[in-house]
Amino acid sequence: LQRDAKGQYLFDLLCHHLNLLEKDYFGIRFVDPDKQRHWLEFTKSVVKQMRAQPPFTMCFRVKFYPTDPAALKEEITRYLVFLQIKRDLYHGRLLCKTSDAALLAAYILQAEIGDYDPGKHPEGYSSKFQFFPKHSEKLERKIAEIHKSELSGQTPATSELNFLRKAQTLETYGVDPHPCKDVSGNAAFLAFTPFGFVVLQGNKRVHFIKWNEVTKMKFEGKTFYLYVSQKEEKKIVLTYFAPTPEACKHLWKCGIENQAFYKLEKSSQVRTVSSSNLFFKGSRFRYSGRVAKEVMESSAKIKREPPEIHRAGLVPSRSCPSITHGPRLSSVPRTRRRAVHISIMEGRARRGGAHACEHTLTHPRQGDTRTRSWIFVLPTPVAEHSLELMLLARQANGAPCSIEEEQEPEAGTPAGTAEAAGGELRALCPGTGGPGA
């Protein structure tokens, strides 16, 4: 990768590799040496954004969740969004009551192993899957019951589409939580969804503010301010405190991008935003992509033969264990290597941080004038020990719970071990009337 190559170049190359046209919903995220997450900015040099030394480790994931995932034009896009939401369910970011959880898990089961076959699927077969941080035997039986009796005949594409339609109706659909504290010192999670700004606290959603009600976002140090204008000229200011100034700036930038993407009619309406009341003081940021309405209009014009999808669901991995230990299936077509060397791998880092791709970590010889930086784009691995910290609500609604700040591989660690990422784990258990109700 040439040193002056922009983030857009890397992102376009990756989307070409994935045969993905509806790419505006996705992004590349990385973690700096201080464990702070960042979205790769497409208008800036890749190398200059990375504070670590190469090889760089990044995560390809959904950045803007589709308002209606079922309305996506191409199956390849729906499949990638399905993988992301399945991961959200596994990490406890997508909260739901037991009946919804069972149905979502059954859709995953149908998409991955097909119709129930008593010869292949013995008693208790659903327990060999890990759909949630933890779940009970009763829930496993319910999942198997739905899979056996209600989903027979559904193709993987149909099951994935039904999964998306159900997930979209849940209150925490699209939540990518930012841990904060309120003015009283209580822990909270702030998140931006396709429909607005959400605050989750304790066992319930304490704030939901539509995008057209948000008038301004700013930050000073570790303090994040959200200005809201509601009916009858009611104006409020919500104040939260992030763990660090860097985390607060990341929260602010995410908010600016999400509001621009979902609220604006045209990308020409995007303006540079300042973090301070004084234009010449503080951070300045501008969203550089297209907005949701433009993306949907562009998708409607796509006319091509649907690309072949090589589903990788049957590959066992730490992040989403599977029942079948079959041969590894590539989720992307083979393409000729270009200037950037990209390794798309299962998130299965070995203990001790061993490099899962050591054979690719060669560097140019001395005297070689070509400038290269190694890039690894991986799914986010999950630390084995972190699963012990996750909870399953044993309350009246029986909702599996907890929102976890997803651990991403630390910059400069190609194996992407979650132990190295050192992300903070927080649990949010829904009770009656909470996000899972």
Side-chain angles (χ1 to χ4, degrees):
L1 181 67
Q2 299 298 327
R3 272 195 181 276
D4 60 349
K6 300 289 195 294
Q8 188 70 56
Y9 172 79
L10 174 61
F11 182 70
D12 288 344
L13 186 65
L14 178 56
C15 291
H16 175 75
H17 191 69
L18 292 167
N19 211 355
L20 176 66
L21 294 184
E22 296 175 286
K23 57 188 180 182
D24 300 78
Y25 299 103
F26 301 86
I28 297 176
R29 197 158 69 182
F30 63 93
V31 179
D32 68 21
D34 295 326
K35 314 297 189 294
Q36 176 57 49
R37 299 183 299 177
H38 302 272
W39 287 105
L40 186 70
E41 293 189 40
F42 295 162
T43 59
K44 296 182 179 180
S45 163
V46 174
V47 175
K48 288 183 179 178
Q49 293 182 65
M50 309 298 294
R51 289 168 49 196
Q53 296 297 316
F56 306 133
T57 304
M58 303 178 177
C59 300
F60 178 80
R61 79 184 310 280
V62 172
K63 183 176 184 180
F64 303 112
Y65 286 75
T67 305
D68 181 6
L72 294 168
K73 181 71 179 288
E74 295 202 302
E75 185 182 337
I76 179 65
T77 318
R78 290 193 294 272
Y79 175 62
L80 292 173
V81 175
F82 162 78
L83 291 180
Q84 179 66 61
I85 300 175
K86 183 176 79 165
R87 188 174 187 80
D88 292 344
L89 189 68
Y90 175 78
H91 277 271
R93 290 187 296 272
L94 184 64
L95 306 181
C96 52
K97 57 187 178 182
T98 302
S99 58
D100 293 335
L103 181 58
L104 289 171
Y107 283 136
I108 296 173
L109 207 55
Q110 180 69 22
E112 292 205 354
I113 67 175
D115 292 347
Y116 169 73
D117 183 341
K120 295 180 181 178
H121 308 137
E123 186 71 22
Y125 70 101
S126 65
S127 65
K128 294 181 173 60
F129 284 82
Q130 189 74 34
F131 305 106
F132 318 104
K134 287 186 179 180
H135 48 86
S136 64
E137 292 183 6
K138 182 179 179 181
L139 182 56
E140 289 171 3
R141 290 194 296 270
K142 181 64 175 176
I143 293 168
E145 180 184 329
I146 296 173
H147 177 233
K148 292 177 185 178
S149 61
E150 299 180 24
L151 307 184
S152 180
Q154 288 191 13
T155 64
T158 302
S159 295
E160 290 158 8
L161 180 59
N162 289 332
F163 175 92
L164 293 175
R165 283 173 170 158
K166 183 61 184 177
Q168 177 209 345
T169 65
L170 302 177
E171 287 186 346
T172 49
Y173 167 73
V175 163
D176 184 23
H178 298 254
C180 292
K181 290 184 178 181
D182 65 13
V183 291
S184 299
N186 300 313
F189 285 98
L190 276 56
F192 308 105
T193 75
F195 314 104
F197 175 81
V198 173
V199 179
L200 301 161
Q201 194 171 56
N203 63 351
K204 61 183 179 179
R205 187 176 74 178
V206 295
H207 289 294
F208 169 67
I209 300 165
K210 297 178 181 178
W211 282 123
N212 59 9
E213 296 175 341
V214 177
T215 58
K216 185 177 181 179
M217 284 174 273
K218 73 172 189 176
F219 79 97
E220 295 175 0
K222 296 192 292 184
T223 310
F224 175 76
Y225 302 95
L226 186 83
Y227 294 78
V228 181
S229 180
Q230 297 180 322
K231 294 179 181 179
E232 300 176 356
E233 298 185 352
K234 179 182 178 182
K235 296 182 180 181
I236 59 175
V237 179
L238 299 178
T239 304
Y240 291 91
F241 303 97
T244 65
E246 292 74 20
C248 197
K249 183 175 182 179
H250 175 64
L251 171 65
W252 173 72
K253 290 169 71 172
C254 288
I256 297 300
E257 290 191 309
N258 275 270
Q259 186 178 31
F261 184 81
Y262 294 113
K263 180 182 177 180
L264 298 182
E265 295 287 319
K266 298 178 181 179
S267 54
S268 59
Q269 297 174 324
V270 175
R271 297 289 180 267
T272 299
V273 181
S274 175
S275 64
S276 172
N277 290 328
L278 300 177
F279 186 77
F280 56 84
K281 185 179 179 181
S283 298
R284 297 175 65 196
F285 181 68
R286 180 187 178 95
Y287 171 59
S288 60
R290 295 190 294 184
V291 300
K293 188 174 181 179
E294 293 174 330
V295 173
M296 293 189 68
E297 291 172 352
S298 176
S299 295
K301 298 175 183 177
I302 294 176
K303 293 181 180 179
R304 67 167 178 174
E305 285 294 317
E308 184 180 0
I309 300 175
H310 301 280
R311 287 175 169 81
L314 297 183
V315 180
S317 72
R318 177 179 293 178
S319 59
C320 283
S322 186
I323 193 172
T324 305
H325 293 255
R328 180 178 296 277
L329 302 176
S330 174
S331 59
V332 295
R334 285 182 175 269
T335 60
R336 182 168 55 89
R337 287 196 177 196
R338 297 193 178 188
V340 181
H341 298 256
I342 300 178
S343 176
I344 299 179
M345 308 169 58
E346 294 293 321
R348 300 186 67 203
R350 287 174 282 173
R351 283 185 177 274
H355 291 185
C357 42
E358 291 168 353
H359 62 282
T360 66
L361 298 181
T362 56
H363 292 272
R365 296 178 180 177
Q366 284 188 333
D368 189 347
T369 58
R370 292 174 295 177
T371 303
R372 291 191 183 95
S373 296
W374 292 88
I375 308 288
F376 294 84
V377 184
L378 324 175
T380 309
V382 182
E384 289 180 349
H385 68 270
S386 71
L387 299 181
E388 300 303 318
L389 301 178
M390 307 304 287
L391 303 175
L392 175 66
R394 303 294 187 183
Q395 301 180 18
N397 65 349
C401 78
S402 74
I403 286 187
E404 172 189 353
E405 184 183 6
E406 181 177 3
Q407 296 190 15
E408 299 192 359
E410 183 178 355
T413 55
T417 59
E419 289 81 359
E424 182 180 5
L425 298 177
R426 303 287 184 96
L428 178 69
C429 301
T432 304

